[in-house]
Amino acid sequence: MSKEIIEKLDAIEASTLAKAEEIAAKANESVEAAKAELTEKVATLEAKVASLNAPSIIRPIAKSIRADVNRSVREQLKEYANGGKSFEKELKMFADESQYYAYMNEASLLTAGGDGKGGRTAYDPVFVALRMYNPMRGLSRTVATEGSSYQFRVKTGNAGAQWGYAIQNNGAATTENTSIWQLVLKDINVQFPIRTAALDDIDGLEANVVDDMLAEFAQAEALSMIINDDQTGTGTSVTTGGADGLRGLDQYGGANSTYTGGTTSTAAFGSSGTSSTSGLHSLATYDQLTTNGFASTNNVTFQDLVNVVYALPQAYWTPNAKWMINPVMLSAIRGLKDNQGTPIFERMHPAAEDGIVGKLLGFDVVVNTYVDTPTAAGASAGTVAKYPLYFADFSRFHTIIDRLNMVMRRYDQTAPGFITFFGEKRLATSVRDPFAGVRYRSTATGA
């Protein structure tokens, strides 16, 4: 039985080998046929390519005789360089005499600039002159509201703690109370048209218009925050806003009625209520040792600055305590010299701070050009008071109340051929804690 199985297996193996050899033979025949066919096609293609004539180099037509001559010279130089010869070569610039005269006539018309002769005009990017933004934005406490008015509330008075075992039960020493004042948010706005043709022709104009409008808003609010004390004028008659503007620092009273050099008045909260005059606090105001009067001389001294620092209660000597100074006043302070002619602050802090601002008596300085200049040259005696410097913990001293969103809109085709821009901002400002700052009076109204 096993012998028969072996014989069958041998037969199957022999049959398989025969078929494999037959398939291999057929495959070899197919490959050889394909190779022969491919060789024939390649030979045919090479013959066709060889029969084609190489195209001549296409040269762009010269726009001028000058360009044609320059091209001829470049080609001769290229041929000379590729030839590898070291001897001199004479270059042929002009094909004939007519080309020479044409070249000279053409060149004579291009001896001047291209302006007015088809030359292109290049344009500098559109720009605007810089405006001084509002330095108070980096000093004051800022809050946002959705309301049209904002109210301040403060606890005043003392608990009246008293020594001794006897209970001090709401006696005369207890003066606890509250005070409020309320401000209506003021509105500043503008609307103006610009021709669409101007916007199309001057690239970058629109972006510069919007940027400068924002800067102008900042400039207007900065002026109103500091010097607006006119409550009879309006926004159309007073640049700082008048009754339509903010409650400026110059509107607050508190200075001594009689100028007394070297002294500081006492701060106090204003009246409580919701009227337009409520919350007009009395600010502690230091009088310069020698008033500047209505002359141009600035009489500030080193002792004046020391006095101002010590006029601020020590509780407010915080990291947020800073000087806010008019640049003219800062110039006079930096120019103070000792008896040897050495700048006082350079001697005190040699190379401690970079730049022209630095610190004064260890406190940071913020320069604000919107603060009063220290002198009133040309004014009449008894008419002008100047406050060129403040020293305060501004995070407690002053607050800016902003409406949540400033409106910026662009109206298309409000009139044929025009785009109208509209901007509106609502805000209010107030001295919050009158005890947190000292105001500096350099010029008396009674000088």
Side-chain angles (χ1 to χ4, degrees):
M1 184 69 179
S2 59
K3 182 179 180 181
E4 293 177 356
I5 293 174
I6 292 172
E7 290 176 353
K8 288 183 179 180
L9 290 175
D10 290 340
I12 292 172
E13 182 179 2
S15 175
T16 302
L17 289 174
K19 289 182 179 179
E21 290 175 357
E22 182 182 353
I23 292 172
K26 290 182 178 180
N28 288 334
E29 291 177 1
S30 299
V31 170
E32 291 299 328
K35 287 173 64 177
E37 184 180 359
L38 180 61
T39 301
E40 183 181 352
K41 289 182 177 180
V42 170
T44 303
L45 181 60
E46 288 177 347
K48 290 182 178 180
V49 170
S51 65
L52 295 177
N53 295 324
S56 59
I57 298 174
I58 300 175
R59 302 177 183 275
I61 299 174
K63 296 182 179 179
S64 65
I65 302 298
R66 176 186 293 270
D68 206 15
V69 171
N70 288 340
R71 176 190 295 164
S72 175
V73 172
R74 285 198 304 270
E75 289 176 349
Q76 293 179 65
L77 289 172
K78 181 179 178 181
E79 181 182 354
Y80 170 70
N82 292 338
K85 299 177 182 179
S86 59
F87 53 83
E88 295 181 359
K89 176 179 176 61
E90 181 180 348
L91 298 178
K92 182 180 180 180
M93 291 189 63
F94 305 105
D96 51 34
E97 188 177 356
S98 61
Q99 188 183 42
Y100 167 74
Y101 285 115
Y103 176 87
M104 295 304 295
N105 290 332
E106 181 182 83
S108 66
L109 299 176
L110 298 175
T111 54
D115 186 42
K117 301 180 182 297
R120 290 176 295 177
T121 299
Y123 295 95
D124 192 66
V126 177
F127 73 100
V128 296
L130 293 178
R131 297 178 188 267
M132 180 69 179
Y133 279 79
N134 184 6
M136 295 291 287
R137 286 286 178 180
L139 281 173
S140 303
R141 169 178 172 261
T142 302
V143 298
T145 180
E146 293 181 344
S148 58
S149 61
Y150 192 85
Q151 187 176 111
F152 292 87
R153 301 166 296 177
V154 59
K155 195 281 294 182
T156 60
N158 301 309
Q162 176 178 296
W163 290 99
Y165 286 105
I167 302 299
Q168 197 288 89
N169 183 14
N170 197 26
T174 300
T175 57
E176 296 280 21
N177 204 344
T178 58
S179 179
I180 66 167
W181 65 98
Q182 186 168 305
L183 298 174
V184 176
L185 271 64
K186 301 297 184 177
D187 190 293
I188 178 171
N189 64 77
V190 67
Q191 172 185 307
F192 57 92
I194 296 182
R195 283 283 283 117
T196 53
L199 293 173
D200 290 340
D201 291 346
I202 307 174
D203 54 310
L205 177 61
E206 182 170 346
N208 279 271
V209 166
V210 174
D211 287 347
D212 191 52
M213 181 170 64
L214 292 174
E216 189 175 346
F217 271 74
Q219 187 178 52
E221 71 170 28
L223 283 167
S224 194
M225 281 184 192
I226 301 292
I227 64 178
N228 185 43
D229 63 351
D230 184 346
Q231 294 305 295
T232 58
T234 63
T236 57
S237 60
V238 182
T239 57
T240 57
D244 294 328
L246 302 175
R247 182 174 282 186
L249 290 177
D250 286 359
Q251 189 177 341
Y252 289 87
N256 292 324
S257 56
T258 301
Y259 189 97
T260 309
T263 64
T264 305
S265 62
T266 303
F269 284 106
S271 60
S272 180
T274 58
S275 70
S276 60
T277 58
S278 297
L280 274 172
H281 313 308
S282 296
L283 303 186
T285 305
Y286 171 80
D287 286 343
Q288 187 173 280
L289 285 169
T290 302
T291 177
N292 293 337
F294 52 95
S296 58
T297 303
N298 194 338
N299 296 314
V300 62
T301 65
F302 176 74
Q303 187 61 48
D304 284 317
L305 302 178
V306 174
N307 291 346
V308 169
V309 170
Y310 283 94
L312 183 69
Q314 186 179 350
Y316 294 100
W317 292 1
T318 68
N320 292 320
K322 293 179 174 63
W323 301 89
M324 181 173 70
I325 308 179
N326 177 278
V328 176
M329 184 67 170
L330 181 60
S331 173
I333 292 172
R334 290 299 185 194
L336 293 174
K337 299 178 180 179
D338 61 17
N339 293 334
Q340 306 301 318
T342 303
I344 292 176
F345 287 98
E346 179 63 24
R347 186 191 65 200
M348 292 175 59
H349 305 287
E353 299 291 336
D354 293 332
I356 62 172
V357 179
K359 293 189 176 185
L360 289 180
L361 302 177
F363 294 94
D364 290 334
V365 175
V366 174
V367 182
N368 189 343
T369 190
Y370 301 112
V371 176
D372 293 342
T373 54
T375 58
S380 300
T383 60
V384 178
K386 294 291 187 178
Y387 304 105
L389 180 153
Y390 289 80
F391 178 62
D393 177 350
F394 283 92
S395 64
R396 298 185 62 89
F397 178 67
H398 190 259
T399 296
I400 300 171
I401 307 103
D402 282 318
R403 184 74 179 207
L404 280 177
N405 298 313
M406 177 180 177
V407 177
M408 292 289 296
R409 292 197 174 97
R410 179 185 190 273
Y411 298 99
D412 293 341
Q413 297 292 337
T414 51
F418 287 91
I419 300 294
T420 298
F421 293 86
F422 176 73
E424 183 178 37
K425 190 174 187 179
R426 297 172 65 189
L427 70 158
T429 57
S430 176
V431 169
R432 183 170 180 258
D433 183 353
F435 297 95
V438 177
R439 181 171 57 182
Y440 184 103
R441 181 165 63 169
S442 63
T443 302
T445 55

